[in-house]
Amino acid sequence: MSLLVVGSVAFDALETPYGKVDRTLGGAATYFSLAASFFSPVKLVGIVGEDFTVREEAAFRGRRIDLAGLERAPGKTFFWAGRYSPDLNDRTTLATELNVFAGFRPKLPPSYQHCPFLFLANIDPMLQRSVLEQVRGRPKLIALDTMNYWIERTPRELRETLRRVHLLMINDQETRQLASEHNLVRAARLIFALGPRALVVKRGEYGAWLLTPDSVFAVPGFPLREVRDPTGAGDSFAGGFMGYLASVGRTHEHALRRAMVYGSVLGSFAVERFGVERLAGLTRREIEARARDFLRLTSFRL
Amino acid sequence: MSLLVVGSVAFDALETPYGKVDRTLGGAATYFSLAASFFSPVKLVGIVGEDFTVREEAAFRGRRIDLAGLERAPGKTFFWAGRYSPDLNDRTTLATELNVFAGFRPKLPPSYQHCPFLFLANIDPMLQRSVLEQVRGRPKLIALDTMNYWIERTPRELRETLRRVHLLMINDQETRQLASEHNLVRAARLIFALGPRALVVKRGEYGAWLLTPDSVFAVPGFPLREVRDPTGAGDSFAGGFMGYLASVGRTHEHALRRAMVYGSVLGSFAVERFGVERLAGLTRREIEARARDFLRLTSFRL
């Protein structure tokens, strides 16, 4: 089944202890689409400027990524620059230039309006809602990502949008902040009361949790020998997660658990190289091999 | 098979956001023994002062914990006072009074000398070695815990002791420090070169890893609704881990993985109440139920 993502397409400048790049393709919708396209066709909604050329578009070409919803606007593409701490656990934003993104008003082409799987990447909750209002039919799964900025600045708008969402996918700090509760199990209960019936808590190198009112599933972070650039890990996770679900067209517990594993697989690959480099060279065969590695990593018998 | 532990028996003063106790039974060997005794008989080697009375001894009574190796010395028992941060992830030591522990020279009673399973809790590496020198026969599994203090102050003595140990069980920061390597997978390789053929990395609320030269196993932290006092979590983990292995008398990969789960089970119970309170009231039935919860928490099919 088809999968729609709305979010940023950007240029990133990245600095980690392992290297530095001045300008590389980035943005949540970029990582998401590349990761998800291994599993299912993706329809991308976003905006880029005149500096986004055929060279950048090439990253999406040859994949099942529909760019009909990628608007071209006069001006420059969203730009973000960041530097990571030596242990890669913290990052400092050095520059955020919204550019054309400041005027982004998502518009769904007619061919996008019947998407059963929707991922609202981290953007203004009002824009996330405007996408939902353009969707026809009853989507099977609406998932949403957000961040501290929206939790703090637009709490009312975020809650209004959350009421219409099935699954919330955020990190542990955002979970605590949104629920005003440090304990994640209790925080999840409070979040279910806001609308979502499932919560995915991304915990970086420590893995991820899937919580529903009836169950908890935990997948550990993959023990990687090399981590070069954490940028896009969460969005790649989301892409693997949603891409897998769209490919099977189901959202029952077993499918969600498998989606967590495929999300973890894509997230773990993304951080091995700078920017989208690793995803760009990835194969489905490698994805399946690492999914089996996750099974070996976590399996035990009582 | 029988299991020997050498380590501290202490009085603790504890302060967490959930409460405060001025004087409660603690110490690595205490938590370890209580946790392990659910699975196998334990022989404890330690030292206490005159303030350790029948009242304290009662905590061990009725369990398969042999106190023949618990020396009584003139003076006061080891005392530790600590305060935890609001999120429980950091703690400040407010007081450490070694008291009789300063003169501790472990002496194994004759009935202790043929123990196939040994756990050397976090004490001076020279004392850990002196225990090994008193052991007869070839133990099936020698496991060791240590901390930053010994890694920094007595690196040579620690390395000498590590050469004679099969399994090292430390936390992630200690792993990084001992190996001078941030990446845990690479750090494990360096640690195998020091002697141990297996490494258990305790990661607090994030769970634990078991690394061998051929495999990695990860068990997540249990999603607890209530965490009141993290004191003794690592030692309870060690007790569940070693107690299970001693009960089956095996150390192959499947047994080690199951031991990781039982370690996690005991660690997760320990933190639910202050001091040893939860372990004191725990039943084998609850342990098995939580082990099955761990299976549900981590299971998926590809």
Side-chain angles (χ1 to χ4, degrees), chain A residues 87 182-183 185-186 203 205-206 217-218 224-225 254 257-258 291 295-302, chain B residues 87 182-183 186 203 205-206 217-218 223-225 254 257-258 291 295-301:
Chain A
D87 67 3
H182 183 79
N183 181 284
V185 180
R186 288 203 296 261
R203 314 187 84 187
E205 65 162 316
Y206 300 112
F217 175 61
L224 292 167
R225 204 175 292 265
H254 282 309
R257 288 182 173 224
R258 239 172 272 137
L295 200 55
R296 269 188 289 274
L297 175 68
T298 58
S299 294
F300 65 90
R301 294 195 303 260
L302 284 181
Chain B
D87 67 2
H182 184 78
N183 182 285
R186 288 202 297 262
R203 312 186 86 188
E205 65 164 314
Y206 300 112
F217 174 60
L224 292 167
R225 203 176 293 263
H254 282 309
R257 287 183 174 224
R258 239 173 272 138
L295 200 56
R296 270 188 289 273
L297 174 69
T298 57
S299 295
F300 65 91
R301 292 194 303 259

Side-chain angles (χ1 to χ4, degrees), chain A residues 142-146 158 162 165-170 175 178 191 194 196-201:
Chain A
I142 303 171
L144 178 146
D145 186 9
T146 190
L158 177 58
L162 275 179
V165 159
H166 304 127
L167 183 146
L168 176 63
M169 184 182 288
I170 51 183
T175 303
L178 177 61
I191 286 170
L194 300 178
R197 61 179 187 223
L199 170 68
V200 173
V201 183

Side-chain angles (χ1 to χ4, degrees), chain A residues 3 6 13 52 58 90 115 122 126 135 137 143 163 188 196 216 231 237-238 257 284 290 301:
Chain A
L3 168 60
V6 55
F52 187 91
D90 292 301
C115 251
N122 167 38
M126 296 293 281
V135 169
R163 286 180 47 215
V216 190
T231 311
F237 178 101
R257 288 182 173 224
R284 184 69 195 247
R290 184 158 292 177
R301 294 195 303 260

Side-chain angles (χ1 to χ4, degrees), chain B residues 137-288:
Chain B
R138 272 175 77 101
K140 274 187 89 76
L141 183 65
I142 303 171
L144 179 146
D145 186 9
T146 191
M147 71 185 291
N148 56 351
Y149 183 91
W150 309 112
I151 296 171
E152 287 158 23
R153 311 276 181 104
T154 62
R156 215 172 314 153
E157 292 79 0
L158 177 58
R159 282 179 180 234
E160 186 54 44
T161 304
L162 276 178
R163 287 180 47 214
R164 306 179 56 176
V165 158
H166 305 128
L167 184 147
L168 176 64
M169 184 181 289
I170 50 182
N171 72 30
D172 36 11
Q173 290 319 314
E174 291 153 358
T175 303
R176 290 173 170 132
Q177 192 180 13
L178 178 61
S180 302
E181 165 63 54
H182 184 78
N183 182 285
L184 294 175
V185 181
R186 288 202 297 262
R189 295 275 146 192
L190 297 167
I191 286 171
F192 297 148
L194 300 178
R197 61 179 190 226
L199 170 68
V200 172
V201 182
K202 296 176 289 183
R203 312 186 86 188
E205 65 164 314
Y206 300 112
W209 280 3
L210 164 70
L211 302 106
T212 71
D214 313 309
S215 69
V216 190
F217 174 60
V219 58
F222 195 75
L224 292 167
R225 203 176 293 263
E226 281 205 291
V227 178
R228 293 185 173 272
D229 172 20
T231 311
D235 300 311
S236 303
F237 179 101
F241 181 92
M242 293 295 291
Y244 172 75
L245 290 176
S247 77
V248 295
R250 310 283 295 274
T251 61
H252 57 77
E253 174 85 17
H254 282 309
L256 288 172
R257 287 183 174 224
R258 239 173 272 138
M260 289 287 288
V261 173
Y262 282 111
S264 304
V265 166
L266 271 294
S268 73
F269 277 122
V271 303
E272 289 182 342
R273 296 280 177 279
F274 267 76
V276 300
E277 190 186 336
R278 188 67 179 94
L279 294 187
L282 195 62
T283 65
R284 184 69 195 248
R285 195 191 193 79
E286 288 177 300
I287 290 171
E288 296 303 335

Side-chain angles (χ1 to χ4, degrees), chain A residues 119-165:
Chain A
F119 187 72
L120 311 170
N122 167 38
I123 56 172
D124 184 336
M126 296 293 281
L127 298 186
Q128 292 175 318
R129 208 185 319 160
S130 81
V131 170
L132 294 184
E133 279 156 7
Q134 296 173 60
V135 169
R136 308 251 173 269
R138 271 175 77 101
K140 273 187 90 74
L141 183 66
I142 303 171
L144 178 146
D145 186 9
T146 190
M147 70 185 293
N148 54 352
Y149 184 91
W150 309 113
I151 296 171
E152 287 157 23
R153 311 275 181 104
T154 63
R156 216 171 315 155
E157 292 80 358
L158 177 58
R159 281 176 181 237
E160 187 53 45
T161 304
L162 275 179
R163 286 180 47 215
R164 306 178 57 175
V165 159

Side-chain angles (χ1 to χ4, degrees), chain A residues 76-97:
Chain A
K76 290 169 73 179
T77 300
F78 183 18
F79 174 77
W80 180 79
R83 182 194 295 138
Y84 289 85
S85 63
D87 67 3
L88 299 174
N89 283 336
D90 292 301
R91 74 178 183 194
T92 311
T93 290
L94 302 175
T96 305
E97 297 167 14

